[in-house]
Amino acid sequence: MEAIKKEYWKDKANKALGISPEDARITKSYLIVAFAAILVGGLLGLLQGMNRAGILELPVWLNYYKVLTAHGLLLVVVLSAFFTIGYFYAGLSHSLGGLLPKVRKMAWIGFWMKIFGFVLAVIPILQGDASVMYTFYPPMAAAPMFYIGLVFIVLGVWMLAFGAFINVANWRKNHKGQHIPISFFAMGVFVLLFFGSLPVAIEVLYIIPWAFGWIETINVMVSRTLFWAFGHTLVNIWYMTAISAWYVFVPKIIDGRRWSDLLTRIVVIALVIMNITGGFHHQIIDPGISESVKYMHVFMSLAIGFPSLMTAYAMFAVFEKTARKKGGRGLVGWYKKLPWGDVRFLAPFIAMAAFIPAGAGGIVQSTNQLNQVAHNTMWVVGHFHLTLGMTVVMTFFGVSYWLVPYVSGRVLTKEINKLGVIQTIVWTIGMVLMSGAMHWVGLLGSPRRTSYSTYFDNATALSWDPYLFFLAIGGTLLMIGVLLQVYAVFHMMFLAPKGETEFPVADVEEDATPTPMWTERWGLWIVLMIGLVSMAYVIPLVDFIVNAPPGSPPFKTW
Amino acid sequence: MKGIYYVLLLYAFLMLPPVASLMESVMIIHMHMQMTLFVIIGFLLAPVLQKKFPRFFEEWNPNGIPGILLFVIVIFYWTLPRSMDEALNFWYIELFKFISLPFLAGVPLRDSWRKISPSLKNGLIILFTLLFILMGWLYIWSPNQLCNNYLMIDQITLGWGFLLTAVCMIIYLAYSYITDFAKTV
Ligand code: HEM
Ligand SMILES: [Cu+2]
């Protein structure tokens, strides 16, 4: 009884006083690394774009493939992991009455493990010994240090995942029968982070002796399959982080109510269970997988579309309801009542809108025949800049305008809000130009991951140039966007006036049905997920291993 | 009870010759997906039958034991390599598969599950875990082809499927043992 009372008191104190300085420091550090990654990564992206457009010839010591590897890793691994963790740890701290001291310690150990791993991975990249791009799959081989660095990054992420599990379990023990929306998303994300990075951990442990030369050859198909079980999941972890902001925070910012807690949870559970197997849609062109197996995997990939559609519906329902409550009228006229001048709404809104074409493109690519047209062309690069560079990253930007002041104990000023609105517009135009050009030129056959070449002035290759030029213009705008955004974060972190910023968790509707307890059966969801993953992977993996071809020695191309 | 039509539709769809032969063309999909789906169909149909024939279930399955026994026997029968072969070779065995899995396994399972005690439930999961480990061992390490209709590679794949399913059940048992769900929430 005493303990419970104390807990309640702590909860209240936490809500009144804001985040504790120790917890704030964790999130601040994670966000600083994330935005530093976007600064450097964006610059590298611009260099690549210029190179692709034939405007800039990169020097030998900084060749295109080196830059591409660093760009991919910085943005997909560093930015993603650090933002996601900083964001969810602030959410856990806010809603669970502060982090446990033990968990705080784990967060720091994980932080430094990841930084250490990242430094280990960057050294060979800079030396030009690891230009294997962010997928790093065999037979291309990097220096062993690169893979050892990756191991540390994965171990660091696991530390954070277990920290979150411990904190949530502890809270649940003391708060029976209560529900917290953001920690449910955090559970989903950390469960996926852990299980999604298991396959890549296995892959890397298998690559390391091969990179050292202790074993001569490696099974290429097994490594690719393990990679994509992770790569695909990682991408969807981002997406789930973004939608957590849409479900939990965006409604509060527009003065609305949250969508049904139960349906939100069903979306999370469905994404957790069905996600990992989506990895196969990256292997539609791969040899060694029979057509019937590929065919069944199309269903698995499209099944993930279902929770995404539910999300789209939920969001627009929330917007309409809120706008109508404020007096919005007409079939579509209600949109005028939404706070378009508030960057905390505008950025995530455009992010959601971008997901409509992005999701449609994804469905296109999952189809066998269309994949043969789009695979490994610039179309794919256009696709993931739309999904990640726009849907996810713009949501993160929108979140930063309240999360950063929340953890720094400052406020969002009018000027920075305006800057944010401009940033959002610049980023939108830049991404639409760049990703539009990428999609189009991809359909015309321009390959992905290939340094500029006219292929001996081949007419087809020359016809790509105008589009690639647009790519460079878009890339330049994006770089301006990066600078604006990083400045805004810097300002909110260190310069803005001190004050209190709310952690904007929206309430559910008054007449909402209570959330049933069965949604909390994480053990069951995990068993179902493992069962589904086993079903999906057992046929191709057994085939790859039992009928393995002679393996491949390592190759160093760049 | 509108959902019942969807279940019947799925039942009919799975029995369509092209669908059935596609699923049966891969051994593990035949056993672990098609057969499981038929059991699930029975499971979903059960409430309708329970409503229509309440006396029947009360009389024959008062405490859940006969139903579980029937379920176990039918499932054991269908894990044998021989029965898979026969389902592919003789149309009447195939028909028996389509009928027995929903009605002699799925329906009794649903009817019995609520009637039996928690320890019997766990006992049942343990029994199937052991069976699946045994079948996994048999299918993976058997030096011979066990089914005339499937290749060795199919057989090994199925064996791993059994072992992985067993692993899932072990995790589930451990999870329910550790957390004791009713207490933590
Ligand atoms: C300033 C903004 C950005 C610019 C100018 C930019 C530009 C580019 C360009 C030109 C490529 C190379 C395409 C190729 O030749 O194959 C590329 C690749 C890539 N970009 Fe970006 N990008 C930007 C932001 C982002 C963001 C925000 C993300 C992720 C969230 C991202 C993720 C990636 C990934 C994963 C690759 C592929 C790397 C690989 O193939 O291994 N980029 N980007
Ligand atoms: Cu994917």
Side-chain angles (χ1 to χ4, degrees), chain A residues 270-278 280 297 300 303-304 525-538, chain B residues 33 164 168:
Chain A
L271 284 174
V272 168
I273 293 177
M274 300 195 296
N275 220 314
I276 295 178
T277 60
F280 276 100
H297 274 290
M300 286 311 308
I304 308 172
W525 312 140
I526 290 171
V527 169
L528 286 176
M529 171 185 78
I530 298 175
L532 194 71
V533 170
S534 319
M535 254 178 5
Y537 280 86
V538 70
Chain B
M33 199 183 277
L164 289 167
C168 285

Side-chain angles (χ1 to χ4, degrees), chain B residues 26-37:
Chain B
V26 182
M27 190 177 192
I28 188 172
I29 293 179
H30 185 182
M31 186 176 284
H32 278 194
M33 199 183 277
Q34 191 203 45
M35 292 194 189
T36 313
L37 279 170

Side-chain angles (χ1 to χ4, degrees), chain B residues 87-149:
Chain B
L88 292 172
N89 293 346
F90 305 107
W91 67 267
Y92 47 90
I93 302 285
E94 173 96 346
L95 187 66
F96 176 62
K97 181 176 78 183
F98 290 161
I99 295 170
S100 64
L101 285 170
F103 296 104
L104 301 182
V107 172
L109 177 66
R110 177 85 174 248
D111 190 57
S112 303
W113 196 250
R114 262 181 308 140
K115 297 179 184 169
I116 61 177
S117 66
S119 50
L120 189 58
K121 282 181 194 170
N122 283 340
L124 200 66
I125 299 178
I126 291 170
L127 174 71
F128 274 98
T129 309
L130 294 177
L131 172 73
F132 279 25
I133 292 173
L134 183 75
M135 298 308 286
W137 172 77
L138 172 71
Y139 281 111
I140 296 172
W141 286 285
S142 153
N144 304 316
Q145 202 180 334
L146 297 172
C147 270
N148 282 324
N149 287 292

Side-chain angles (χ1 to χ4, degrees), chain A residues 228 231-233 235-236 275 278-282 301 304 383:
Chain A
W228 278 117
H232 171 77
T233 310
V235 171
N236 276 41
N275 220 314
F280 276 100
H281 63 217
H282 298 264
S301 286
I304 308 172
H383 168 73

Side-chain angles (χ1 to χ4, degrees), chain B residues 7 41 50 111 145:
Chain B
V7 180
I41 284 171
Q50 282 165 328
D111 190 57
Q145 202 180 334

Side-chain angles (χ1 to χ4, degrees), chain A residues 126-157:
Chain A
L126 291 180
Q127 289 172 334
D129 287 333
S131 299
V132 286
M133 296 177 278
Y134 105 97
T135 45
F136 60 85
Y137 28 57
M140 280 202 289
M145 210 197 322
F146 175 79
Y147 303 110
I148 294 172
L150 296 181
V151 170
F152 276 96
I153 294 179
V154 169
L155 291 177
V157 167

Side-chain angles (χ1 to χ4, degrees), chain A residues 176 296 517 521 523 538 542, chain B residues 28-29 157 175 181 183 185:
Chain A
K176 284 174 194 158
M296 290 188 199
M517 278 300 157
R521 300 199 68 171
V538 70
V542 169
Chain B
I28 188 172
I29 293 179
T157 309
Y175 163 69
F181 189 68
K183 273 197 211 141
V185 174

